[in-house]
């Protein structure tokens, strides 16, 4: 299956250090994620990688037994650094 590269921000309840560790462990076990960032203070989790957003949210919810809310979903540049729309360089050919 061909997944797109996404940056997704989730809202989760991160009450204590045990909750943080449970979420971190679940994220580290997911092979499709390139990177993640857990913001304890604001209860936000950001993940990057080539994945299906709904599948990742469901997996995190099942593994952590916590409510997951998708706040933001952006299609990001792939691992190569250039996304599909910006690959042309942005310059017009001269005649």
């Amino acid at each position: 299956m061909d997944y797109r590269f996404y940056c997704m921000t989730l809202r989760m309840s991160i009450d204590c250090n045990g909750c943080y560790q449970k979420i971190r462990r679940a994220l580290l076990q997911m092979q499709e994620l390139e990177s993640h960032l857990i913001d304890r203070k604001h209860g936000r989790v950001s993940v990057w990688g080539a994945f299906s957003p709904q599948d990742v949210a469901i997996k995190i919810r099942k593994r952590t037994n916590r409510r997951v809310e998708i706040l933001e979903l952006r299609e990001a540049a792939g691992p190569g650094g250039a996304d599909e729309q910006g690959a042309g360089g942005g310059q017009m050919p001269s005649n």
Side-chain angles (χ1 to χ4, degrees):
M1 197 168 264
D2 186 32
Y3 294 119
R4 295 182 181 194
F5 201 84
Y6 288 105
C7 174
M8 180 168 66
T9 304
L10 308 166
R11 180 184 303 162
M12 297 182 71
S13 176
I14 308 171
D15 300 326
C16 61
N17 196 38
C19 300
Y20 170 82
Q21 291 296 332
K22 186 186 283 190
I23 293 167
R24 183 175 178 272
R25 216 174 6 257
L27 294 172
L28 289 172
Q29 290 174 357
M30 299 177 74
Q31 300 296 323
E32 58 265 39
L33 300 181
E34 291 281 325
S35 180
H36 69 270
L37 176 70
I38 302 172
D39 182 2
R40 284 183 180 180
K41 185 177 180 182
H42 297 107
R44 309 267 166 112
V45 177
S46 298
V47 293
W48 294 269
F51 56 81
S52 168
Q54 295 84 7
D55 291 348
V56 169
I58 290 168
K59 282 182 187 179
I60 292 172
R61 193 212 130 345
K62 284 184 178 179
R63 291 182 181 174
T64 62
N65 200 23
R66 299 209 155 264
R67 186 169 167 258
V68 175
E69 180 182 348
I70 299 175
L71 294 178
E72 182 181 4
L73 179 63
R74 288 185 281 130
E75 192 168 340
D83 60 24
E84 293 157 2
Q85 291 132 353
Q91 297 179 358
M92 302 209 28
S94 60
N95 290 338

